[in-house]
Amino acid sequence: MYDLIIVGGGPAGSAAAVYAARKHLKTLLITSEWGGQSVVSEDIQNWIGTPHISGTGLAAQLEGHVEEYATGFVTIHSPRIASALAVAPGSISVTDDKGERHEALTLLIAAGSTRRKLEVPGALEYENKGLTYCASCDGPLFSGQDVVVVGGGNAGFETAAQLAAYCKSVTLLDRNESFRADPVTVEKVLAKPNVKARHFAQIEEILGEQFVTGIRWKHQESGEETLTPTAAVFVEIGLIPNTAWVGSELALDPIKRIIVDPKSQRSSHARVWAAGDCTDGLYHQNNIAAGDAVKALEDIYLAIHAR
């Protein structure tokens, strides 16, 4: 019986593991990878205290920090994935993808999320053949060429800004009436001479031969269809929380994120907390995920020892 099980090895899960070790909680950390989604980033500039770090560099730092504190308190199961959750009056149990069942007094879910896929004709056929979900990984391959970004949130605009540095032109297509990205980000990115954006753009089809050659989209108000030639399509249309394994044990919002109390990160179950991209928090960033996990650990420690 553990005091705590942590699911996830991104900024939230790693921060929680370090704090759990410092508080001498007997802890099991289950993670399929370190670093979370940031592992694909070439240059993270907003990890506080570190002006520039790669995603793989951040992942290595997180893993190293946890391992330094792990001895005697934190058992690391990696790479493993949580596959089922069961709750009981006095404990929580998590079964991993190797069929092992682990039991604890409390659980912190920091499982993160995965990228939402574009589901239109041609998207699957041309994935990794010009259609990509990782500008940091594939963007430089299209230096000097015309490219398209799908998505009007912060991720879409950040991708457009990155591509604008070396691509001939960047066209950002967003299906909404207004962009969801921060206004200051929108203003700065659209001020770049080789970036343009279109509202009400409903993606209809990805076109290509051996590789992507264009994207067909329809204006949702006028119904007019446009074929935009492009060498690549970079998709940034949101995230899917990694919560399928939770089942019906916890209260989830309509998109399956875990509903938490923002004061404590506690879920609908008295022995389960959550932090990071898998929660219904208003904002999702590395620093916020780590902070929310620390908040959860403070509450978990009190729940075990003082309540």
Side-chain angles (χ1 to χ4, degrees), residues 170-249:
V170 180
T171 301
L172 187 146
L173 301 177
D174 181 30
R175 66 179 181 178
N176 299 303
E177 180 180 4
S178 59
F179 300 121
R180 292 170 289 112
D182 299 331
V184 65
T185 301
V186 172
E187 182 180 358
K188 286 185 176 180
V189 174
L190 293 185
K192 298 179 183 297
N194 60 338
V195 177
K196 60 183 177 181
R198 298 289 183 264
H199 291 295
F200 294 117
Q202 178 178 310
I203 310 304
E204 296 289 312
E205 185 179 9
I206 305 299
L207 304 172
E209 296 173 1
Q210 275 190 304
F211 298 93
V212 168
T213 59
I215 183 169
R216 185 168 59 84
W217 57 278
K218 179 173 67 177
H219 192 282
Q220 293 184 88
E221 284 197 329
S222 68
E224 180 183 357
E225 289 197 355
T226 299
L227 173 58
T228 300
T230 182
V233 176
F234 296 86
V235 183
E236 294 286 356
I237 56 174
L239 305 171
I240 300 173
N242 296 324
T243 58
W245 60 279
V246 169
S248 60
E249 300 290 359

Side-chain angles (χ1 to χ4, degrees), residues 234-293:
F234 296 86
V235 183
E236 294 286 356
I237 56 174
L239 305 171
I240 300 173
N242 296 324
T243 58
W245 60 279
V246 169
S248 60
E249 300 290 359
L250 305 177
L252 305 176
D253 72 3
I255 58 174
K256 305 301 182 182
R257 299 179 302 184
I258 299 168
I259 298 172
V260 296
D261 178 349
K263 291 183 178 180
S264 63
Q265 300 300 125
R266 194 189 292 248
S267 75
S268 58
H269 191 280
R271 293 182 178 272
V272 182
W273 288 253
D277 287 5
C278 64
T279 74
D280 67 336
L282 184 57
Y283 303 108
H284 294 113
Q285 295 182 20
N286 285 340
N287 293 295
I288 294 171
D292 283 350

